[in-house]
Amino acid sequence: MSSTPTRPIYLDYAATTPVDERVATVMQRYLTVDQLFANPASRSHMSGWQAEQAVEHARRQVADTINADPREIVWTSGATEADNLALTGFMRANRARGRHLITSIIEHKAVVDTAKALASEGVEVTWLKPGNDGCITPTQLREVMRDDTALVSLMAVNNELGSINDIKALAEVAHQFGAAFHTDAAQAVGRIELDVVAQSVDLMSLSGHKAYGPKGVGALYVKRDPSLRIEALIHGGGHERGMRSGTLPTHQIAAMGEAFALAQQYSLEEQQRITHLRQNFLNGLQQIGGVFLNSPADNAVPNIINVAFDGVEAEPLLMALRDIAVSTGSACNSASVDPSYVLLGVGIPRRLALASLRFSLGRYTTQDDIEHTLHVLAHAVDGLR
Ligand SMILES: *Cc1c(COP(=O)(O)O)cnc(C)c1O
């Protein structure tokens, strides 16, 4: 028997992570009148220079996490903006290279909706369909590459399934055909190895709040290469080498830098701990019966576990879980519930997609959390069947 926990159990780390205490401590240094609150773009006084130093320190921390040069990091408001800047900024700046964009049907909405918007301004989009392991293969990509393909955008880790794309192999195919390669790595930081040089990535989207940093900050890695131009979407003071204007939020940026430095430092140990919790959770689910794993059994990050409970609808199950924060990938419209486009995209039948929940584990998940969740789940599923 597991004891009743004192706070709600949080198993939704793929939606957002809490800010690590050590990160929050750093963040607090850049806000009030006695601190380094100055505008990092102020060049006429010491306070401004100190704020700028904090921003540049964080730029190096983020760059180090992905083996980039600090000059290749462009701060944004999150991975959503980074995805928009990568796709739209690149396609607009490189009209001469071609008007063909390749992506997949299970990308995050920040990529899917941006690609759709680009289609309405004359970009031709090819939508790849992954296998049921959630991956796009290099062969599949090679088959749709064209002379006028300017950009390929495929995510590193899928946010609903946890599936991992071989971005190195995919980037190589893109390059063979003279196209640039973008990857959304929001879910990958601290979970898989990221190395923009070894993986030959040209553009990479990052988010602070998926890696124990704050919400509202992210970055786009833009490879330093004269042939890699990006047109700004936000115009203003010419910050970030003209690619993204706006006063830099020193506290957010310093915090994201610290969070990424911690991710680099702790990821292996943390991943082993979470892999162990995942195994215990999967074993427990097995006991419930009629449970299907939507996430690939291997080649997936251990913290994301997407499962279908046959014969149960996800919405009432979610209600029955009360104090346990998990998510369905479904979208609630005015009249009905649409199953997750990602689950349908990897061939999960509609019936099972509507019976699916995503459990995502993280830094503060304990064995007690897992046991309590399994206990509540067993009762809830029983009651609903
Ligand atoms: C969360 C997430 C985003 C959006 O990031 P924000 O920083 O919240 O804008 C984009 N892509 C993936 C894969 C994500 O998981």
Side-chain angles (χ1 to χ4, degrees):
M1 267 308 291
S2 55
S3 57
T4 308
T6 51
R7 60 174 180 197
I9 291 175
Y10 187 77
L11 294 179
D12 206 11
Y13 282 82
T16 193
T17 58
V19 174
D20 189 294
E21 292 285 353
R22 295 163 289 186
V23 171
T25 302
V26 169
M27 190 162 176
Q28 281 159 9
R29 291 180 198 146
Y30 303 96
L31 293 164
T32 63
V33 68
D34 296 326
Q35 298 171 309
L36 289 174
F37 67 89
N39 190 328
S42 295
R43 310 309 304 268
S44 55
H45 48 72
M46 187 59 118
S47 305
W49 298 330
Q50 285 172 334
E52 187 194 20
Q53 265 176 14
V55 166
E56 295 315 311
H57 177 64
R59 201 187 294 278
R60 180 166 292 282
Q61 288 174 310
V62 168
D64 282 350
T65 308
I66 59 168
N67 192 27
D69 185 287
R71 290 169 296 182
E72 298 175 315
I73 301 298
V74 175
W75 299 114
T76 65
S77 61
T80 300
E81 189 191 328
D83 286 341
N84 274 265
L85 182 57
L87 271 65
T88 305
F90 184 87
M91 292 308 289
R92 285 187 186 161
N94 295 276
R95 283 193 171 85
R97 263 168 97 152
R99 303 291 281 150
H100 183 222
L101 166 70
I102 299 172
T103 186
S104 90
I105 59 170
I106 66 160
E107 297 297 309
H108 189 274
K109 284 282 185 188
V111 166
V112 170
D113 290 350
T114 303
K116 284 181 184 165
L118 284 169
S120 73
E121 55 181 78
V123 169
E124 207 186 315
V125 183
T126 294
W127 298 93
L128 289 171
K129 190 179 180 315
N132 44 30
D133 61 354
C135 292
I136 300 294
T137 66
T139 309
Q140 234 184 316
L141 176 60
R142 190 172 289 112
E143 278 163 7
V144 296
M145 292 296 306
R146 308 193 318 212
D147 287 345
D148 64 339
T149 307
L151 182 65
V152 174
S153 176
L154 294 168
M155 70 205 311
V157 173
N158 182 271
N159 47 300
E160 285 193 43
L161 296 163
S163 50
I164 303 169
N165 267 326
D166 185 349
I167 52 175
K168 179 175 193 279
L170 295 167
E172 277 165 7
V173 173
H175 292 154
Q176 279 161 21
F177 288 81
F181 185 79
H182 165 252
T183 191
D184 178 337
Q187 296 286 345
V189 174
R191 280 111 192 171
I192 63 167
E193 189 80 28
L194 291 174
D195 182 327
V196 290
V197 177
Q199 293 162 333
S200 76
V201 170
D202 302 303
L203 299 160
M204 179 183 278
S205 300
L206 302 166
S207 174
H209 75 102
K210 303 293 174 70
Y212 307 94
K215 297 163 189 60
V217 65
L220 180 66
Y221 155 78
V222 182
K223 185 181 178 182
R224 268 171 78 89
D225 179 337
S227 73
L228 229 121
R229 284 179 308 111
I230 291 281
E231 204 174 288
L233 302 183
I234 297 175
H235 305 279
H239 307 71
E240 299 300 277
R241 290 181 290 122
M243 281 184 269
R244 203 282 193 177
S245 289
T247 301
L248 295 175
T250 316
H251 62 301
Q252 304 277 78
I253 288 170
M256 179 168 166
E258 188 65 16
F260 274 45
L262 287 172
Q264 206 181 3
Q265 218 172 310
Y266 289 89
S267 61
L268 238 162
E269 192 184 308
E270 187 164 291
Q271 287 302 90
Q272 281 169 354
R273 200 183 67 83
I274 291 171
T275 301
H276 187 68
L277 292 175
R278 173 196 183 90
Q279 202 47 55
N280 293 344
F281 188 57
L282 290 177
N283 292 344
L285 287 174
Q286 207 73 49
Q287 311 276 307
I288 295 175
V291 181
F292 301 102
L293 184 63
N294 297 326
S295 298
D298 26 56
N299 197 35
V301 291
N303 62 302
I304 299 179
I305 305 162
N306 197 313
V307 285
F309 297 87
D310 202 7
V312 179
E313 277 174 55
E315 300 301 321
L317 181 55
L318 205 60
M319 293 298 146
L321 293 183
R322 268 180 306 248
D323 278 354
I324 305 173
V326 299
S327 83
T328 67
S330 51
C332 296
N333 297 322
S334 50
S336 65
V337 181
D338 284 334
S340 149
Y341 70 96
V342 172
L343 295 184
L344 295 183
V346 293
I348 310 272
R350 189 186 160 84
R351 174 181 61 86
L352 287 179
L354 284 169
S356 295
L357 293 182
R358 177 189 67 185
F359 300 85
S360 46
L361 284 45
R363 191 167 288 171
Y364 308 103
T365 308
T366 63
Q367 176 62 22
D368 264 3
D369 292 343
I370 298 297
E371 281 168 22
H372 184 74
T373 302
L374 285 167
H375 181 75
V376 175
L377 262 176
H379 276 84
V381 169
D382 215 31
L384 291 165
R385 273 181 182 153

